[in-house]
Amino acid sequence: MTNADCTLYKYKDGKYTRHFIPGVYWHESKAANVIKSGLQSADSTTVFFFSDKVIPESPTKDMLVKGCCFFNFTATTEKELSEQMKEFRKKHKFVVVTSVDPMMYGSLPHVEISAK
């Protein structure tokens, strides 16, 4: 039940660490809500990791890129990290992790990751 590989950027102590995760299930859902002030995007992504060796730990900071991404964050200061984030945003389509639900039991153990 895999359809993609992905790259996880884990945030910890002001730095991002890159992890390549092969063999994941990646599902994108496109949606929109009409609210009083206009159209609001409700797009979401769900990714299943079939191992819990490396998983996101900082929702709202950890990021996922579909496929293998070779961008490395090398910043040592907040200013450098900000500049590298600008460059990363220009070059790569990514989603930010919103929740992580480990379900490592049963006949299909996995970690379900929700992102936007």
Side-chain angles (χ1 to χ4, degrees):
M1 195 167 113
T2 63
N3 64 358
D5 299 327
C6 78
T7 306
L8 166 64
Y9 288 92
K10 288 179 69 168
Y11 182 83
K12 186 174 183 179
D13 299 328
K15 297 179 182 179
Y16 281 100
T17 307
R18 179 185 166 278
H19 300 275
F20 176 69
I21 313 293
V24 302
Y25 178 74
W26 186 286
H27 176 74
E28 294 178 6
S29 176
K30 302 288 182 191
N33 293 326
V34 178
I35 58 176
K36 200 172 197 176
S37 60
L39 193 64
Q40 179 182 26
S41 174
D43 297 350
S44 66
T45 301
T46 303
V47 182
F48 289 3
F49 285 14
F50 297 100
S51 169
D52 62 354
K53 289 182 182 176
V54 178
I55 62 171
E57 296 175 2
S58 302
T60 72
K61 296 201 180 211
D62 291 350
M63 302 179 294
L64 294 170
V65 176
K66 188 174 184 179
C68 185
C69 181
F70 293 101
F71 190 93
N72 282 312
F73 288 93
T74 58
T76 56
T77 67
E78 281 187 41
K79 183 178 179 182
E80 288 175 352
L81 182 59
S82 177
E83 291 299 317
Q84 288 181 356
M85 276 302 295
K86 286 178 189 176
E87 182 182 345
F88 182 76
R89 282 188 176 110
K90 286 180 188 176
K91 294 182 178 181
H92 303 286
K93 180 183 175 199
F94 66 95
V95 292
V96 177
V97 174
T98 55
S99 68
V100 179
D101 297 313
M103 299 178 187
M104 299 302 292
Y105 50 82
S107 61
L108 186 60
H110 64 281
V111 178
E112 186 173 332
I113 300 159
S114 297
K116 286 190 177 194

